[in-house]
Structures are given as C-alpha cells and as structure tokens.
Amino acid sequence: MGIDSESDVSANLQIGPTTLGMVRLYIEADGTEIPLDFDPDEALEIAEEIRAAAERARQMAQAPADKRARPAVPSVTLGQASGRSRGAKATGRTGPSAPGKGPGPKG
C-alpha cells in the first residue's frame, strides 16, 4: 500500500509531550498500539512537512482534474519494520506522559 492508495482502515491518533521531554505520536488501530517518540526538533520538522503536504493537497484539490498530478515529493513514513523512521522510536512501551497530554502507562 502506498501513500496514494485508499484504505478502509481507521486509526486513533493522539499527540502530546511525554514527561521525558519527547513528543509522542500514539497510534491505535485494530488492537495494535504504536507509540512513536520524537525529540522536539524532529517533531517540528515533521510538523513543517505535514503543513507543506496539506498546502500541496489543497492546491491539488483546487486544480482542474486534467492538471492533477501525483506529488514528486518524498513523504514521511512512521513506524517502519525497523521501528525507526525519521528518528521515530516504535518502542512498544507506553511510558509516562504529561497529565492530560496523550496516553499514559497501561495497567
């Protein structure tokens, strides 16, 4: 499955700071939980890439259908088999987070 492929899979996404000073993207889908931790600089870089992709998507949606083309820009992939992508750590653990900010430890 590629970035431009449609899917019927739904997932929950939570984003927040951890008590260890990391930014956690916590993804849960079909009973699988994936915590991805980034240092603040990496998180800001990803946020900039998301903002740029949103702007490109907006422009593509407004373009006439015959002018639409697939973007030739690389995308960010989180949670690869190695557990690391763009500095992400798919650690499999759900360490403590700041109160009210994202997932905390599970029982």
Side-chain angles (χ1 to χ4, degrees):
M1 171 177 276
I3 195 145
D4 205 25
S5 300
E6 291 189 28
S7 170
D8 288 335
V9 175
S10 64
N12 295 310
L13 172 66
Q14 296 179 37
I15 303 170
T18 69
T19 57
L20 301 176
M22 301 291 280
V23 175
R24 176 166 289 164
L25 274 65
Y26 184 83
I27 304 164
E28 187 276 323
D30 296 329
T32 301
E33 299 172 353
I34 305 170
L36 300 170
D37 293 339
F38 300 89
D39 69 40
D41 290 334
E42 290 172 320
L44 287 172
E45 184 178 329
I46 291 168
E48 290 171 11
E49 292 178 20
I50 290 171
R51 187 177 298 272
E55 184 57 36
R56 287 191 309 271
R58 180 179 288 144
Q59 291 170 358
M60 291 173 63
Q62 294 172 351
D66 60 333
K67 299 281 185 181
R68 292 182 190 165
R70 293 180 119 166
V73 195
S75 60
V76 176
T77 303
L78 303 176
Q80 293 176 340
S82 66
R84 293 185 66 85
S85 176
R86 312 250 334 127
K89 295 179 183 175
T91 60
R93 58 185 162 78
T94 55
S97 349
K101 300 288 185 181
K106 292 205 173 193

